[in-house]
Amino acid sequence: MEYHNYAGFPKDFLWGGSTSAYQVEGAYNEDGKGLSVQDTKAVTPGTSDFKVASDHYHRYKEDIALFAEMGFKAYRFSVAWTRIIPNGVGEVNQKGIEFYSNLIDECIKYEIEPIVTMYHFDLPDALNQKGGWSNPETSEAFIEYARVLFENLGHKVNYWLTINEQNMMILHGAAIGTVNEKVSNVKQDLYQQNHYMLLAQAKVMKMCHDLCPQAKIGPAPNISEVYPESADPRDFIAAQNLNAIRNWLYLDVAVYGRYNPIALAYLKDRGYAPEITEEDLDVFKAGKPDFIAFNYYNTSTAAHSSFSDAVVGPEDGDQQIELGEKGVYKAVYNQFLERTNFNWEVDPVGFRATLRSVYERYGLPIIITENGLGEFDELTADHQVHDQYRIDYLKDEIAEMKLALSDGVEVFGFCPWSAIDLVSTHSGVKKRYGFIYVDRDEFDLKELKRYKKDSFAWYQQVIATDGENLS
Ligand code: BG6
């Protein structure tokens, strides 16, 4: 839709950036930290592990000063569960509490709002050894961990995020490390894990409201609008299928307290449905989010599929786009979209579409907790990084977010991935996302010095002009 008058970003809009603990902190075994699944899982061959990452643990003051110089109003980071409770349950590590307390104080010193993710892919390995999320004890452990966070840090945090990209953990469990190899029905087990996580999330949201009345809390899935490949009505049904299974299943439980009917029909028919009791539904109803946070990188495109299809995945076999599933949908590339050097589709208009869908459906304020471009950046001899491609990418995304504001969508913050370079989940150090370059290679740590990229000054100006000047 075009308008005669367009909305601008509100003055109190939370411009910021995001990171996650295991990808940025390093110090993987320091000051009492226990090991998480990210420390113990095999890394993609040829890429760095997460042991040192960007050494944010030791350099957070320098990093936050740089964020403040950029004008950040918010910093979204995650707490490493294993710094707080090294074995997932039991003893609390005071050094871990101290670290995050100091990090939060450092943000507050610069009037940067800390936005804290409780759990970002880094389950304590000790819990993983006992079945991970397949074991309901993990949900109990997560709830206790949340209590420790609220009791120790709750007085100075206004925005909490529960679980990062729970939907990706379920849909791409093999890649993220949530698949329980010991069970016979892997998918049923994943959806049972999902159910336990949803229950834990609802209890934690309720606990947040009880213990920290000034704070707000929400889930942080990865949401992407699904297009039908064509106007063939059967493609439209395929797109609805994927939307239900990929997106709405997770948010419908969080917001409406019930399973999405299309997703549930699919789970039951395929034998993947979790056990859902009346008490579970009461738990869902008692713990509701105050806002929706979501990560957006691109949209998905789906075509009709039947049980007899031989192939349902993308033609090049690349799993960066959806996997496809017989009788549900075929995953296809969108012929109208370009792709990055890492084969991710680029779709700023789809960002507006996704914002509109989420807001129309749930009516809750939205914050974007990830969005960004992973690229091969180059540090020149005079320590510059000319990342015009990142500026172009973000400029288009922000412009579409602004249009979504004119559409009436309530967006209150934007924290692109990533505030500073960190180790990519699957592609190591070479795939960089930050406004600040961290000088290290895949295996040579060098001095880990920080250099401002061209996008640093650009984002500084975007923030200074409340999103008016994107050029
Ligand atoms: C999101 C995750 O899925 O995407 C981040 O929350 C991740 O942890 C980001 O790093 C980008 O993905 P990748 O694979 O390029 O690092």
Side-chain angles (χ1 to χ4, degrees), residues 127-392:
L127 295 180
N128 195 42
Q129 303 289 337
K130 290 190 273 173
W133 285 98
S134 307
N135 182 343
E137 285 174 20
T138 294
S139 322
E140 294 310 314
F142 180 67
I143 294 162
E144 272 321 295
Y145 159 60
R147 181 187 302 282
V148 172
L149 293 184
F150 293 142
E151 285 176 352
N152 288 277
L153 306 170
H155 56 293
K156 40 191 179 184
V157 174
N158 294 319
Y159 295 95
W160 293 96
L161 309 174
T162 52
I163 299 176
N164 180 70
E165 295 198 354
Q166 181 176 327
N167 55 338
M168 294 297 107
M169 286 193 272
I170 302 308
L171 295 164
H172 298 274
I176 297 173
T178 32
V179 166
N180 184 348
E181 309 288 354
K182 296 180 194 124
V183 298
S184 54
N185 187 342
V186 166
K187 276 213 161 180
Q188 198 281 332
D189 179 71
L190 278 169
Y191 282 104
Q192 189 64 54
Q193 291 189 30
N194 183 51
H195 189 68
Y196 290 144
M197 277 191 230
L198 290 168
L199 286 168
Q201 169 172 270
K203 289 184 184 169
V204 165
M205 292 195 290
K206 178 170 184 326
M207 188 193 287
C208 178
H209 294 140
D210 291 345
L211 298 183
C212 311
Q214 96 295 348
K216 293 188 163 70
I217 188 161
N222 174 309
I223 300 296
S224 82
E225 180 60 78
V226 185
Y227 302 126
E229 188 188 29
S230 75
D232 178 343
R234 297 177 316 156
D235 286 350
F236 186 77
I237 294 290
Q240 285 186 321
N241 292 342
L242 182 55
N243 251 324
I245 294 167
R246 187 199 187 288
N247 297 317
W248 313 141
L249 185 161
Y250 303 85
L251 287 175
D252 279 11
V253 172
V255 181
Y256 301 139
R258 53 126 175 98
Y259 270 73
N260 174 283
I262 298 169
L264 190 58
Y266 154 82
L267 294 176
K268 284 184 175 161
D269 181 77
R270 303 301 198 265
Y272 305 152
E275 269 176 57
I276 308 169
T277 65
E278 281 302 314
E279 291 80 63
D280 293 348
L281 298 178
D282 292 341
V283 170
F284 290 147
K285 295 223 160 72
K288 297 286 181 71
D290 303 294
F291 59 85
I292 291 174
F294 72 85
N295 301 345
Y296 172 85
Y297 287 93
N298 39 40
T299 44
S300 308
T301 307
H304 169 73
S305 165
S306 56
F307 278 130
S308 56
D309 281 335
V311 180
V312 287
E315 73 264 19
D316 59 3
D318 191 326
Q319 303 198 338
Q320 299 292 358
I321 70 165
E322 309 300 337
L323 308 175
E325 193 171 339
K326 287 180 193 181
V328 183
Y329 74 103
K330 241 183 233 171
V332 293
Y333 284 108
N334 185 326
Q335 54 161 321
F336 297 99
L337 302 179
E338 299 201 338
R339 298 184 219 160
T340 71
N341 287 325
F342 285 86
N343 213 22
W344 288 28
E345 288 179 331
V346 178
D347 188 8
V349 177
F351 186 25
R352 179 184 181 185
T354 305
L355 283 161
R356 289 162 67 128
S357 290
V358 171
Y359 192 67
E360 258 194 322
R361 216 179 153 86
Y362 302 109
L364 286 173
I366 294 172
I367 180 165
I368 298 304
T369 38
E370 286 183 36
N371 172 256
L373 177 68
E375 263 304 335
F376 299 98
D377 290 342
E378 195 194 321
L379 186 68
T380 61
D382 57 347
H383 301 135
Q384 310 278 316
V385 178
H386 301 304
D387 58 343
Q388 187 58 42
Y389 37 86
R390 180 165 295 109
I391 295 173
D392 292 342

